[in-house]
Amino acid sequence: MRTIKLTALAFGLAAANVLAQNATENDDPKLKVSGMAEFDAYANASTGDNQKIYHSYKSKVDVDFQAQFNENWSAQVGIEGYNDDEAPSIKYRDAFVQYKKGNFAVKLGDLAFSEGKFTYYNFNDSTVNAAGMREKQVRGIELDYYGLQFGIGFGRGDWNDIPYYSTDTYDDDEEWDDYYYPKSYDIHLAYQFDIAGQTFRPFIHYKSWQKGNANELHTGLNADLAFGPLGVHAVYGLHADRLKKSLPNATHAFLAEPTLDLGRVIVKAGAFFAIIDDNSEHATIHYGNEFSYEIPEYKFAYGEVDFKANDAFTAGLVGEWHTNTIDNTKELGSFEIGPRFYFNPFKNLEVTGFAKAIIPVGDDWKKEEHYIWISLGDYDDDVLFSLGLETVFRF
């Protein structure tokens, strides 16, 4: 045992010496500021009894401050703001230091991990939705080497709170202590590799609150395939909760999003479906509030045909079908169709406009309690017309 301890100490001192050799003092680090801002405006009008036009906003700001101390050492601080109004509050997002040499990198600080995001425009925010795993935030360490990513740390923010379903009651002091003083930790492992120009990324993420029925497992595969003008983004994700044999509970998510680029004509499509364990009291859908499900609905499909007039302007037509619920026994579907317009006068500015009709399909829209089963928008059995203008600039 003493020999093992001395060997570990010697190894640690040797590693620290290697890092220290590259950590020369620099009183004048190179500073860089980058980020993005998004401001969106929407208007909706129903064909039902209430035919008033209602408007809404979404706003987002994301700024990174990066400091390069020398060839190997750097640091970053991030702030962000997001809200469904015109004035989001700015708050701290993350901060970390990084040592990088060749294909090896190590990060220490506040980190985030996500896998298998949607390309589809309504679900492409991986902090909310993902076919593989939406963003998990930890305070810990990350190692990267030739496509291998390993991270470990303690959960923070919304990812630190124990889920409400982890215990049946909170009557005794021990359970209340677990709720108010969470002890979650995360382990993340992924490996990205290329085979003949095709990219594959298997991943696994385990999260525990150190209670028998309060843990999560995400694992799966993200693939980006290219066949000439045809590209395919595909994801398989396994989402599992409460990993005790007495509480089996898992969701299998499948996503395929092909894109055909013919120059002036671009065809985009996508299909998603999830096999959700409905035999358990709490399906594995991982939600933070009423409208932020990791698995947004159990099935959807879309198709879009775009025509490029020039490098700056593109016009397209989109058709979509949604189930709008995670309960596959409910008939709460909708069909959406309408034009989309893209204006990109230069690389860092994107303006998107759209107009569409949303047509509810299914008998359960007529039931008064249908809102209980909704995981997306509630259309209340009326055709809805929706307009939107989304502006994003980066710097």
Side-chain angles (χ1 to χ4, degrees):
M1 180 65 70
R2 180 179 177 84
T3 302
I4 295 175
K5 289 182 178 180
L6 290 174
T7 302
L9 178 61
F11 178 80
L13 291 173
N17 182 57
V18 171
L19 296 179
Q21 289 178 0
N22 294 278
T24 58
E25 292 186 2
N26 190 339
D27 294 331
D28 189 22
K30 296 179 180 178
L31 299 178
K32 179 182 177 182
V33 179
S34 61
M36 59 82 69
E38 178 174 353
F39 43 94
D40 307 329
Y42 305 97
N44 297 310
S46 174
T47 58
D49 295 334
N50 185 359
Q51 298 185 5
K52 295 179 181 179
I53 298 176
Y54 293 92
H55 68 267
S56 60
Y57 302 120
K58 286 186 179 179
S59 306
K60 185 175 183 179
V61 176
D62 193 336
V63 181
D64 292 322
F65 301 89
Q66 299 161 323
Q68 188 73 41
F69 300 106
N70 56 37
E71 181 181 356
N72 303 109
W73 287 92
S74 63
Q76 177 174 305
V77 176
I79 59 174
E80 67 179 359
Y82 177 80
N83 212 335
D84 291 337
D85 60 28
E86 75 282 5
S89 299
I90 304 299
K91 63 179 183 179
Y92 168 88
R93 188 192 70 226
D94 59 20
F96 61 84
V97 294
Q98 176 179 263
Y99 172 83
K100 188 177 190 308
K101 186 172 184 179
N103 292 298
F104 171 77
V106 57
K107 295 179 181 178
L108 179 66
D110 290 333
L111 310 170
F113 303 98
S114 64
E115 301 286 352
K117 68 178 294 185
F118 292 97
T119 302
Y120 169 62
Y121 64 91
N122 266 345
F123 302 150
N124 63 3
D125 184 351
S126 60
T127 65
V128 180
N129 307 121
M133 182 190 76
R134 73 178 177 188
E135 184 178 280
K136 302 287 188 184
Q137 294 185 358
V138 303
R139 178 161 290 183
I141 188 169
E142 175 187 335
L143 302 175
D144 298 278
Y145 185 67
Y146 280 103
L148 178 67
Q149 181 188 46
F150 172 75
I152 186 169
F154 295 109
R156 64 187 187 94
D158 294 337
W159 294 260
N160 196 28
D161 296 335
I162 197 167
Y164 76 93
Y165 52 69
S166 62
T167 54
D168 295 329
T169 64
Y170 290 111
D171 291 336
D172 58 66
D173 291 339
E174 181 181 358
E175 289 174 341
W176 275 113
D177 285 346
D178 282 338
Y179 184 79
Y180 282 110
Y181 303 101
K183 299 169 287 188
S184 69
Y185 65 87
D186 293 64
I187 302 173
H188 187 84
L189 181 65
Y191 180 62
Q192 184 163 312
F193 60 94
D194 297 333
I195 300 178
Q198 318 302 319
T199 302
F200 301 90
R201 183 180 174 87
F203 63 88
I204 184 169
H205 187 104
Y206 175 73
K207 183 175 187 66
S208 173
W209 285 270
Q210 301 185 64
K211 291 183 67 68
N213 55 346
N215 46 25
E216 296 179 17
L217 176 68
H218 294 79
T219 187
L221 175 67
N222 184 96
D224 289 293
L225 312 176
F227 308 97
L230 176 64
V232 180
H233 173 62
V235 179
Y236 163 70
L238 169 67
H239 309 250
D241 277 347
R242 285 148 291 160
L243 305 176
K244 292 175 63 176
K245 292 181 180 180
S246 61
L247 291 168
N249 188 16
T251 291
H252 302 270
F254 302 87
L255 172 68
E257 296 178 305
T259 301
L260 181 63
D261 190 343
L262 300 175
R264 290 292 183 186
V265 178
I266 302 173
V267 181
K268 305 173 187 176
F272 172 81
F273 72 94
I275 302 172
I276 299 174
D277 180 7
D278 55 5
N279 295 318
S280 177
E281 182 181 357
H282 304 289
T284 303
I285 51 175
H286 297 150
Y287 59 90
N289 58 48
E290 188 176 3
F291 294 115
S292 67
Y293 294 85
E294 181 175 44
I295 302 298
E297 54 185 334
Y298 77 87
K299 193 183 298 184
F300 77 88
Y302 73 96
E304 178 176 353
V305 180
D306 294 331
F307 303 91
K308 293 185 67 174
N310 50 49
D311 291 339
F313 184 77
T314 300
L317 180 67
V318 180
E320 308 176 27
W321 173 73
H322 297 273
T323 58
N324 297 298
T325 178
I326 58 168
D327 189 338
N328 61 11
T329 66
K330 306 304 177 185
E331 297 182 0
L332 292 165
S334 65
F335 179 69
E336 305 181 11
I337 187 169
R340 288 178 68 84
F341 305 95
Y342 303 91
F343 180 58
N344 308 107
F346 55 92
K347 180 180 179 180
N348 292 321
L349 175 63
E350 303 170 8
V351 181
T352 303
F354 69 85
K356 62 182 177 181
I358 303 174
I359 306 167
V361 179
D363 293 336
D364 287 325
W365 286 111
K366 300 176 182 178
K367 296 180 180 179
E368 185 175 350
E369 68 273 22
H370 73 266
Y371 69 91
I372 300 173
W373 309 311
I374 291 291
S375 61
L376 295 176
D378 189 347
Y379 306 125
D380 202 23
D381 197 30
D382 295 318
V383 175
L384 185 73
F385 292 99
S386 181
L387 303 172
L389 186 67
E390 301 169 338
T391 303
V392 179
F393 68 86
R394 295 178 173 83
F395 53 90

